[in-house]
Amino acid sequence: MGDQPTSDGERTPEEATAKAAEPRPEPDEPGTGDAPAAGPADSGAAATTEEPTAAEEPAAAEEPPAPAEPAVSAEDTAVIRLPGAPAVDDTVLITLPGPPSIDDTVLITLPKKPVGEDTVIIRLPDKATAAKKQAGEDTVIIRLPGAKPKGAKALTTARKRAAGDDTVIIRLPQAPQKKAAGRAVVSEPPIEDTVLLQLPAEPKPEPRTALDLGWAPWVLALSSLGVVLVALAYAGGRHETGWAMTAYWAGQVIVFSPVVFRLLSRLAGVAESFVLVMGLAANQYMLKWMYSPDQFRFPDELQHWLATTLIAESGDLFRQNNALPPAVHFPGLAEMGAGLSLLTGLPVTGAGTIVAAVAHLMFVGLLFAAVLRASNSPAMAGVACVTYATAMHYLFFNSMFLYATAALPYFMLTVWAHRRWRTGGGARFLALAALGIAMTTVSHHVTAFALVATLLLLSLTELALERPRPWETLIPPALALAVVCCWIGFVAQDVVAYLEAPLGRLASSLDQMFGGAAAEEGGPTKPVPLAQLAVQGLGILGLLVLYLAVARDMILRKDRDTWRWAALVGGAAFFAGNGARFLGSGGPEIAGRLSTFTYVPMSIIAAIAIVHAVRIVPPKDENGRRWLSVPPPGVAVTTGRRLTNQVYIGTTLITLLMIGARTGGWPPVSALLPGPYLAAAYERSVDDFGVDAARWQERNLPRESRVGGDITAVALSSTYGRIDPVREVGELYYATSWTPAEQTIVRQLAIDYLVVDERLGDLLPSDNAYFQDDPMAGRITEPLSDTQLGKFDKAAAISRVYDNGTVRIYRMEPS
Amino acid sequence: MNPVRAGVLAGLTVAAAAAVEFGPLVLSVPGGLLLAFVLPGLALIEAIFRPGRRDLGMVERAVLVPSLSLTVLVLGGLALWSAGGHLNRVSWMLVCAVTTLVTIGVAFYRALHAPAPAPASAATAPRGLSQERLIKDVLPLTLAVLLLAGAGVWSFADSVDTYDLTVSTLSAGQPGQAGADGNRPVQVSASGLPPAEGPYRVVLSGAAGAELGRQSITPGADGNWTGRLTVPGDERVTVRLFRGAETAAFRTLIIAAAP
């Protein structure tokens, strides 16, 4: 993905883009790293980057510089700054390395030094080629820095430019003394293939500072209006108003799309892009938090609330947590929450909310940092981040107070540190990677496995593409594998059994699909609405098109950038993971969880395609080949109408992906808004009746009591109630009378208490099942009957020991 | 790390630790947040990265500060517990504060023995708060923060108002052993009973529906009541709570016969 130019310790990406107008050396100088390597990720910005020296960037210097290709800039606009001092020679010589593209794209290589006075000379490479150009293809637009306002010119076309704008338009068909638009005058070429431009004197453009926030504050203010709209929608949902859903979708789009639009305009520098991305992440976290601001309601969050509370109360790690036993041995999140709660004096819920927010922002920031280092393009880093924000689980699961939320930033930290180490950052970055591996391992099992796989992928691609083979690249994956194996082998042995069940289901589904095994008995699942399917399908299709375009581009360019290839392989894993949606009832959940990791490379691929406008339908070459035509070298510098179209189309596509993620992610469409109680609907099922029953259990029942109930009751009893939950109790509730068969089940499962919510008799379950491992899953056509719910009151050996008018608790008496 | 910077960081660390240990909530919250998310990370960055070299960009520095701080919290806590320590406010405060102070010392020592840093780059932020910056940056960011804060506070209040209910409950403990008369004592409790909706009474009835007894109850100001009832040990007993003049039971318990 290009290489960062800044690990030389002299210039950071911010400084590189802040000095955007400096003329740069010839690209074929040694020590240019992989920035000029052929490929779309070398964001097209020759004038804005400074490469590391060979002495200070040994790893980067090993990469062979690509011949005759321009180095690239953080923005897709070639920026030429004339030397400021009047006495200094202020002419820039621009040599076109090949024929101009047939569209409004020109590749410009800046020479070592400027010559002449107030003049840009463009040498046309080949008169014969130039003669082939058609009308409309004869314009080169060179954008000069110091725009005022800086952000306003992205979407203007050549025709709209007026005097005072800082864009020079050069018409290539040479006519003597032809006056071009604006302030540039094209004079007779001094030699046959040269166009000479005389630039009028103008004030020195204001340099961009490293902390220039551009339009980010105003864009974020607009985005915050969307947050207010969603807050209104949530309130409307709580009070069951009709307009709430409209306000919700309008708010979601207003929160998201302005940021995407601004990032896609490619005018934002590092600081502006970073502020935009972090502001969007903060705003989207607000959307998650405002759903249930006063307490955790999602069962998994409650499980980690208990784990945190146990540490805060006892001062011990690895205390038994019946709600989620494997989480005991991955205490990263719980330590963060307990530590913050103890240090600040805040309740665990407040501390957990802050920890989840910080972890979420850290993850986004580290993703931005990693892509920025890899591409040296704030536009690419920003677009990758906003594309990742359309992942299915991004808004809720990856922002919740869950152990994966704590592990994800360290997953990304390790990837970033690995990148810095491999590009000559030194051993300190390897040490940071080791810290990241340790933190990921003690925080979440699946993320730790994904980290091992990711590091292995990065190493293998490097080994496959680099000569001589850099065997030291295997150190991080080997270290990660060793740490993860040691942790699971010595500390978290129970995670093997915990993961066996879902892996078994996955294997069973694969066997049914490919091996012809008989399908498990199960009812039909609730059909997904057609509109929802269409939105999600269009989004995935759009991503597939972008993926194939980038893949074609890389293959035909004979791209050898290791990170781009790793991203391409990871993107393929994303599509394979989406196939898991069709693997039985657990398929969508597996696909969603996989996408948390596989969507990272997919987002990078999408960003490459969108930012660099990789040709989806390439033009025919001179041999009449379209799909096998070799893309022009270097990176397209897109301007004018084409850039305008890209911004609009890109914003539309990413917004579509976001809408697809909201409809297919969490919460489900039926519970997108908070509101009154729904049966077996996770967050929507937690209210004071259930919580009070659970609190009563915590105060009155022994910790070893085994309590059964529906999905919500079990979640609350095992967390607020702190008892031992029994989940597979559906048969006891579906029975119409209490018989010895039910007594046998009670004995077998060693059940002490059952929680019965009488609302199960009024409402159908939102997710096809009232209970975990529900024997009637997918076949429930009517709520539980009074007979089914009332049989507990008639059984001689059962006492009703708690009643709050809605929830009852029954004690199984010894018979 | 120059002496002034090291001194400020060390002073801030000591102040934050003191606020955590001795301060009221209004001080312990910012102190705790600094110790958990900021100070250890800042000190570690200064200690790890060579003075005078700008190995890290602004973005990387911004994300590394909380990342490394939380690493100290988690791995430090893990190490402390493994060494037999107890994880409480003092120990976690010491883990964070001592780590920060030690790494400040390391950074200071390295700075003393490192060559003088190169002069800063020409790309510097404008000094002061110009009117342009006020309009371009501060005003919209303030607006954004106010909008978010307003939406957050209002959402919180709306959620509490919507979901915070007074739940009226009736519950029973485990019955005691039957006495010589065959009766068992059972502790019965009620909560969330608004006095204004009373009077309340408890009625006991046997398996055949015959009334075994009744008792008026008077909840306290907090709406709670608890009392000991005596029920037959060999009979299944229903305990009904009635409210005001209502004829249907408000809450019901069932006590199974002794096995």
Side-chain angles (χ1 to χ4, degrees), chain A residues 13-14 17 75 208 210-217 219-220 259 262-263 267-283 358 360-373 377-386 394 416, chain B residues 57-67 141:
Chain A
E14 296 84 358
T17 51
E75 299 173 2
R208 170 184 279 172
L211 292 176
D212 189 353
L213 300 185
W215 285 96
V219 172
L220 289 179
V259 176
R262 176 63 185 164
L263 285 169
L267 291 171
V270 173
E272 183 180 351
S273 297
F274 183 63
V275 169
L276 282 172
V277 163
M278 298 306 283
L280 176 64
N283 284 355
V358 171
H360 180 67
L361 293 175
M362 275 163 49
F363 172 73
V364 175
L366 283 160
L367 175 60
F368 184 93
V371 181
L372 180 66
R373 277 289 170 184
S377 164
M380 176 136 1
V383 173
C385 288
V386 294
Y394 173 86
W416 164 81
Chain B
M58 176 185 66
V59 168
E60 292 163 329
R61 194 171 288 268
V63 292
L64 271 185
V65 167
S67 305
L141 283 179

Side-chain angles (χ1 to χ4, degrees), chain A residues 9-10 14-15 238-239 294 314-315 335 342 344 373 410 416 420 428 675 688 793 795 799-801 803, chain B residues 28 49 54-55 58-60 67 74 86-87 89 158-159 163 165 169-172 236 251-252 254 256:
Chain A
E10 296 301 325
E14 296 84 358
E15 292 167 347
R238 290 185 194 105
H239 302 289
D294 54 336
S314 69
E335 276 193 82
L342 290 170
T344 59
R373 277 289 170 184
Y410 291 97
W416 164 81
R420 295 297 314 267
R428 64 177 73 83
D688 274 1
D793 286 336
S799 296
R800 188 203 284 193
V801 294
D803 179 15
Chain B
S28 66
F49 294 98
R54 282 163 294 141
D55 292 311
M58 176 185 66
V59 168
E60 292 163 329
S67 305
V74 172
H86 191 71
L87 297 175
R89 175 187 284 222
D158 184 64
S159 185
Y163 295 119
L165 305 173
T169 68
L170 184 66
S171 60
R236 181 179 166 83
R251 301 286 182 259
T252 303
I254 298 171

Side-chain angles (χ1 to χ4, degrees), chain B residues 80-156:
Chain B
L80 181 69
W81 183 83
S82 303
H86 191 71
L87 297 175
N88 53 29
R89 175 187 284 222
V90 176
S91 61
W92 245 317
M93 180 268 290
L94 287 175
V95 164
C96 295
V98 170
T99 306
T100 306
L101 292 173
V102 168
T103 46
I104 289 171
V106 171
F108 185 62
Y109 177 81
R110 291 190 68 184
L112 283 180
H113 295 81
S121 152
T124 53
R127 287 174 180 275
L129 197 61
S130 65
Q131 189 176 357
E132 183 193 357
R133 200 168 173 82
L134 198 67
I135 295 172
K136 207 161 156 269
D137 295 346
V138 177
L139 180 67
L141 283 179
T142 307
L143 180 65
V145 169
L146 287 176
L147 285 172
L148 293 181
V153 169
W154 182 59
S155 256
F156 187 92

